[in-house]
Amino acid sequence: MAEKDRILIVEDDEDISMIEETYLQSAGYETTVLRNGENILSYMEEHPCDLVLLDLMLPGKNGYEICAEIRKKYDLPILMVTARNESIDKVRGFNIGADDYIPKPFDPMELTVRVRANLRQYHRLKENAGKTSTPEENAVPEIQIGDLRIQPDSWRVFKKDQEIRLPNREFELLKFMAQNPNIVFSREQLMEKIWGYDYVGDTSTIMVHINRLREKIEDDPKNPKILETVWGAGYRLNKNPE
């Protein structure tokens, strides 16, 4: 029997957490509820989970702080659930590592769909990252872009021979664009290619992931030469940056 995915719900409102638990358990997930995030890292060390459903407005420590703490240590889906629905709040959440943003009040069925989509993508990326290199005759060639080297088989990236650590989703985004250089992709196309056709999240997460990659691979992130923005169209990877 397959092991159930474990979801950690961090929510101080008992009624909301009860709704989340009821629907997620009905969908076949194991759930645990914490009322605040004060000791969340120590809790997660003893009780591993596959996804965190995180309220933004919590007593003591807010969801932004908690999200940043989790992201520094764990590469797993973090879904923010909050009544704050301004674009700036979404971008801030994505910037510190959130994978999705679900506004309150929410449709419990939509919540379940978002959780399922994020978990499916998470497990796919974990599976790809955990694969051993293929035999030499089937190996995917290393991709060279200026002083950047991408090794698709080993999921490693080097800049000037210094290895850059990328979360799974950032690596997959960079690899996809490097394997399709000089082609402009819209946010929607990148969401479909990297997050999957069934993903229903906010496309602004693409902008945030591109910006994170630029901070790591560009000589001057504010004047990118590798990951270029094509205004009104999307993004492209320049195979021959100057």
Side-chain angles (χ1 to χ4, degrees):
M1 185 175 178
E3 185 177 346
K4 292 182 177 180
D5 283 317
R6 294 156 293 188
I7 299 174
L8 177 60
I9 300 170
V10 188
E11 172 62 69
D12 64 324
D13 187 305
E14 188 172 348
D15 291 336
I16 292 176
S17 65
M18 187 179 300
I19 292 171
E20 292 171 340
E21 273 203 297
T22 300
Y23 276 83
L24 291 172
Q25 287 176 1
S26 296
Y29 301 113
E30 289 185 4
T31 61
T32 302
V33 176
L34 297 180
R35 297 298 176 204
N36 62 67
E38 292 295 335
N39 301 304
I40 193 166
L41 292 183
S42 58
Y43 179 87
M44 291 176 68
E45 286 178 8
E46 297 182 11
H47 306 87
C49 63
D50 299 291
L51 181 145
V52 178
L53 205 56
L54 178 62
D55 183 31
L56 182 58
M57 306 305 292
L58 291 164
K61 188 181 293 186
N62 67 45
Y64 292 128
E65 296 172 286
I66 298 166
C67 180
E69 289 180 359
I70 296 173
R71 185 53 74 220
K72 286 178 182 177
K73 192 166 185 180
Y74 297 100
D75 187 14
L76 82 176
I78 303 173
L79 279 63
M80 282 190 164
V81 184
T82 174
R84 299 181 64 172
N85 197 28
E86 297 294 329
S87 294
I88 191 170
D89 295 317
K90 292 183 181 182
V91 172
R92 182 182 177 190
F94 289 140
N95 268 323
I96 58 177
D99 293 283
D100 208 346
Y101 199 100
I102 302 172
K104 296 178 182 177
F106 55 83
D107 180 340
M109 291 302 295
E110 181 183 352
L111 175 75
T112 304
V113 168
R114 296 269 192 107
V115 166
R116 184 180 298 117
N118 275 277
L119 281 170
R120 185 180 294 118
Q121 175 70 357
Y122 168 62
H123 289 309
R124 184 177 70 81
L125 292 175
K126 272 183 61 177
E127 182 180 346
N128 288 342
K131 287 179 180 177
T132 56
S133 297
T134 56
E136 186 174 344
E137 63 271 16
N138 297 320
V140 179
E142 179 178 276
I143 302 170
Q144 183 88 35
I145 302 166
D147 61 4
L148 193 70
R149 292 186 294 117
I150 303 167
Q151 298 178 350
D153 283 346
S154 61
W155 282 60
R156 302 177 76 183
V157 179
F158 297 85
K159 184 173 177 64
K160 298 178 181 176
D161 295 322
Q162 182 71 37
E163 184 167 5
I164 302 170
R165 299 290 183 180
L166 297 180
N168 288 343
R169 203 163 283 180
E170 286 181 28
F171 178 84
E172 184 139 308
L173 177 59
L174 177 62
K175 181 183 74 169
F176 172 76
M177 297 192 72
Q179 290 174 334
N180 298 276
N182 304 322
I183 298 173
V184 178
F185 293 97
S186 67
R187 289 185 186 182
E188 290 75 17
Q189 288 174 317
L190 291 173
M191 288 290 284
E192 290 179 358
K193 296 292 185 181
I194 309 303
W195 276 255
Y197 286 96
D198 59 350
Y199 189 75
V200 290
D202 193 318
T203 59
S204 60
T205 188
I206 292 291
M207 175 190 69
V208 173
H209 278 74
I210 292 289
N211 287 341
R212 285 187 200 154
L213 282 170
R214 285 171 172 164
E215 291 290 336
K216 298 169 184 176
I217 69 173
E218 299 279 2
D219 292 331
D220 180 4
K222 294 183 178 180
N223 184 30
K225 302 295 185 182
I226 300 173
L227 290 177
E228 299 177 326
T229 298
V230 180
W231 297 107
Y235 303 97
R236 77 172 158 230
L237 184 137
N238 182 8
K239 179 67 174 177
N240 299 298
E242 296 180 0

